[in-house]
Amino acid sequence: MRDAYHEELDSLTDSLVEMTRLVRSAMARAVTALLDADLRLSEEVISGDEHVNKIDAAIEATVFDLMARQQPVAGDLRTLITALRMSGDLERMGDLAVHIAKTARRRHPESAVPPELQAIVLEMGQIAERMIAKTGSVIASQDVEMGLELDADDDQMDRLHRRLFDMLLSPKWRHGVEPAVDITLAGRYFERFADHAVHVAENVVYLVTGQRPEEIIDSA
């Protein structure tokens, strides 16, 4: 019985890593759809989110079932609680990729991103992909040092987010209100995506050490 129990605990990790893989793919396709006005990719991202939602629901069901049947304590309880939190963050990251894809679909056949903003949006997408890839590695390896690195990646995303706003507010902006609203929302989606990646990594750090990242940094 205990072996089966720990197999179920391990399966939670596998499911979380699979969620990161799906979310990374969704974000990559959503960014391409946004920049290239690719309607097919937009629809793929939107319809594919159901798979992420199903894994999230399965993780939640497994966690509640194990808590009811096994009454876990200490490390096992922490594993279940953090799995639930991470699953929720990853599900919302999938939703944010969908929001970006819907922006691309709404503006089709035009690109939602004016030429002078394409480079910065592409870079934000690349950072988002890098962060979710690193998040998957952190979950699989429980590497605390790698988990702490995501905060620096988030700082880079925040800097790009501010640059995007500066360009939108510039007197040189000539594309009108609707494109400005779309870009503002897209920038917010990228920024929130990065925040959720950091939250996932923070939960891995807590799972392994029993401490929050700021506690580790303050005690260093």
Side-chain angles (χ1 to χ4, degrees), residues 26 38-39 49 69 82-83 92 100 107 111 134 153-154 176-177 185 196 207:
D38 191 319
L39 185 61
D49 190 52
R69 288 191 293 108
T82 55
R92 284 187 284 276
I100 291 171
R107 295 299 304 279
S111 171
K134 190 177 288 187
D153 295 326
D154 184 47
V177 173
L185 289 173
H196 284 298
L207 172 63

Side-chain angles (χ1 to χ4, degrees), residues 1 8 18 22 42 51 64 74 79 114 136 143 152 154 183 210 216-217:
M1 286 293 292
E8 288 183 274
E18 174 67 4
L22 292 170
S42 297
H51 193 180
F64 289 157
T79 296
D143 187 326
D154 184 47
I183 294 297
I216 295 173
I217 294 169

Side-chain angles (χ1 to χ4, degrees), residues 30-73:
V31 171
T32 299
L34 187 69
L35 294 172
D36 297 347
D38 191 319
L39 185 61
R40 179 185 60 83
L41 281 180
S42 297
E43 297 293 355
E44 285 181 5
V45 173
I46 294 164
S47 62
D49 190 52
E50 183 62 25
H51 193 180
V52 176
N53 294 341
K54 286 181 178 178
I55 297 176
D56 176 49
I59 288 173
E60 182 177 301
T62 299
V63 168
F64 289 157
D65 179 65
L66 290 175
M67 291 179 74
R69 288 191 293 108
Q70 302 291 339
Q71 298 181 337
V73 295

Side-chain angles (χ1 to χ4, degrees), residues 15-37:
S15 294
L16 289 166
V17 171
E18 174 67 4
M19 287 183 78
T20 67
R21 186 189 69 78
L22 292 170
V23 169
R24 181 184 183 184
S25 175
M27 176 54 79
R29 288 178 293 160
V31 171
T32 299
L34 187 69
L35 294 172
D36 297 347

Side-chain angles (χ1 to χ4, degrees), residues 94-205:
D95 289 344
L96 290 165
V98 167
H99 292 332
I100 291 171
K102 285 182 176 179
T103 299
R105 183 176 68 178
R106 184 169 59 252
R107 295 299 304 279
H108 185 268
E110 302 297 326
S111 171
V113 184
E116 64 267 35
L117 295 183
Q118 292 239 343
I120 189 170
V121 170
L122 176 61
E123 189 175 357
M124 292 177 84
Q126 290 171 340
I127 292 172
E129 283 187 62
R130 185 166 70 243
M131 290 184 75
I132 186 59
K134 190 177 288 187
T135 298
S137 296
V138 169
I139 293 170
S141 65
Q142 296 191 351
D143 187 326
V144 170
E145 287 189 13
M146 188 187 299
L148 295 173
E149 290 173 7
L150 269 89
D151 208 36
D153 295 326
D154 184 47
D155 289 342
Q156 189 176 0
M157 182 69 88
D158 289 341
R159 284 193 293 272
L160 288 172
H161 192 212
R162 288 193 293 271
R163 275 182 55 199
L164 194 66
F165 265 101
D166 288 343
M167 295 176 76
L168 289 171
L169 295 173
S170 168
K172 296 180 181 180
W173 179 257
R174 55 183 174 81
H175 300 284
V177 173
E178 187 176 0
V181 170
D182 285 336
I183 294 297
T184 298
L185 289 173
R188 178 61 173 162
Y189 299 148
F190 284 122
E191 191 264 341
R192 289 299 300 148
F193 188 95
D195 286 345
H196 284 298
V198 172
H199 292 164
V200 173
E202 287 176 343
N203 275 292
V204 174
V205 171

